[in-house]
Amino acid sequence: MLDRKKMLGSKIKKLREEKKLSRGELCGGEEELTVRQLARIEAGESLPTLPKIEYIAEQLSVSVAALVDRKYVELPKRYLQLKKRLCNFFTYKDKERIARKEDLFNEIYENYYDDLPEEEQLTIDVQRTSTDVALTDNVAFGNGILGEYFSQVLKRKEYSVNDLLIIELYFLYIHYKDYNEKTFMRLFQNLCNQADYAVDIEQFQLLRTVMVAVGVFMENNNYDKIIDAVTIANGIMKINQDFSKKPAIDMYEGKYWLFSQRNIETAKQKYLDGAQCAKLFDDEMLSEKIMAEWNLDLQEFQRRE
């Protein structure tokens, strides 16, 4: 893989210099490729994904085949399976689930990571970082990735899977530090706009990111907006026919009815719906967690009243 990276990087650099293009000129507005990413590619330090190779080929006015054989950038099927499972995996801070998720990360890092394109490595690194932030409440884990990539994400209105992962990390970050309502709401609205046309693994990650946004709403006592996230989440689940997150979504809707609408009866029913749904999925731990959350939330509601 190292030789392949260096050969591709050398070829791209040679063609770019022959056409008298600077890295900045090739990257343009950096929406598709940053100057820093191109520098790493040309140095043979990272392997670009096929979409980035296609972009570079277009900028250099050559075919993809002139740069690389497509088969060399195809991803292993087992890795794709593991990646999809990670995107759809919530630990709910349960020790057994945390251990299972660690097993997924370990298999990827041990068997696939070193041979992955840079963007795929980023996919795994961001998920690893988000998991660390969520489990430790330590936002320092997110500083490096957000510092390098978040400004690029802010330039977009439509998001790739990696963009969604970085937004999820940002939402986790501002849950604890540096909340900016204007930036948060702009990103959240873009997520809502993307819900109708997201496909495949994008849908899984979009749903995850919307669910993390609920935590930001709650942290900032903006319970009125939770219903928007619930509506989007229910729409995504209806499109992809995957209702595994329905228990948590019902609980979030219960929080809306309790803290925003002050309707204890309707709120309790939504928590009960979520707990029952979890039982249908044979997830007794989550069912118990939802009802424990109801008791805590009801106490908090009564304290506020």
Side-chain angles (χ1 to χ4, degrees), residues 195 207 210-211 228-238 242 249:
L207 179 58
V210 168
M211 291 175 71
D228 293 338
V230 167
T231 300
I232 293 301
N234 282 328
I236 294 171
M237 290 188 293
K238 185 176 180 180
D242 180 353
I249 298 302

Side-chain angles (χ1 to χ4, degrees), residues 9-218:
S10 178
K11 187 180 295 184
I12 290 172
K13 182 177 180 179
K14 182 173 182 293
L15 288 169
R16 177 178 62 79
E17 291 177 343
E18 286 176 355
K19 293 183 178 295
K20 301 188 185 307
L21 290 173
S22 68
R23 287 179 181 145
E25 288 170 333
L26 188 148
C27 294
E30 297 191 297
E31 289 86 358
E32 301 296 330
L33 180 71
T34 68
V35 171
R36 184 179 298 182
Q37 289 167 350
L38 179 58
R40 286 199 292 261
I41 291 168
E42 290 187 346
E45 296 172 358
S46 69
L47 182 69
T49 55
L50 185 56
K52 277 196 168 34
I53 292 174
E54 291 172 341
Y55 172 79
I56 292 170
E58 182 180 355
Q59 297 303 103
L60 295 174
S61 301
V62 299
S63 67
V64 170
L67 297 178
V68 66
D69 189 328
R70 286 176 181 262
K71 70 180 181 181
Y72 290 125
V73 290
E74 291 180 354
L75 298 171
K77 289 183 179 180
R78 175 58 179 166
Y79 163 72
L80 292 174
Q81 291 172 346
L82 292 168
K83 174 183 173 181
K84 185 173 182 178
R85 288 177 64 188
L86 276 176
C87 284
N88 202 28
F89 200 109
F90 278 74
T91 65
Y92 302 109
K93 295 193 175 182
D94 174 67
K95 290 183 178 179
E96 182 180 339
R97 292 171 191 251
I98 292 169
R100 284 160 51 197
K101 192 167 188 178
E102 285 295 325
D103 288 341
L104 296 177
F105 278 121
N106 288 339
E107 184 174 348
I108 289 174
Y109 280 116
E110 290 173 7
N111 300 319
Y112 302 105
Y113 184 84
D114 289 343
D115 291 336
L116 292 174
E118 182 180 14
E119 285 198 22
E120 291 296 325
Q121 291 179 338
L122 177 62
T123 296
I124 304 306
D125 289 343
V126 178
Q127 291 187 79
R128 171 78 272 178
T129 301
S130 291
T131 300
D132 290 340
V133 171
L135 294 179
T136 67
D137 300 344
N138 186 349
V139 297
F141 285 110
N143 289 338
I145 288 175
L146 290 175
E148 180 166 358
Y149 295 101
F150 187 60
S151 61
Q152 192 175 1
V153 172
L154 283 176
K155 297 177 182 179
R156 303 184 179 122
K157 292 185 178 180
E158 298 179 13
Y159 304 123
S160 67
V161 171
N162 274 0
D163 293 336
L164 293 170
L165 284 165
I166 290 167
I167 292 170
E168 177 188 349
L169 176 59
Y170 173 73
F171 286 176
L172 286 168
Y173 184 93
I174 62 173
H175 182 75
Y176 302 105
K177 182 180 179 182
D178 296 338
Y179 173 66
N180 183 302
E181 184 176 15
K182 183 178 180 180
T183 299
F184 170 71
M185 289 305 303
R186 175 156 64 94
L187 291 168
F188 179 73
Q189 187 57 56
N190 288 344
L191 296 177
C192 294
N193 294 339
Q194 188 161 334
D196 290 335
Y197 57 86
V199 296
D200 301 329
I201 200 169
E202 283 182 25
Q203 292 175 339
F204 290 105
Q205 187 53 46
L206 184 59
L207 179 58
R208 282 185 61 96
T209 309
V210 168
M211 291 175 71
V212 175
V214 172
V216 180
F217 286 133
M218 291 190 297

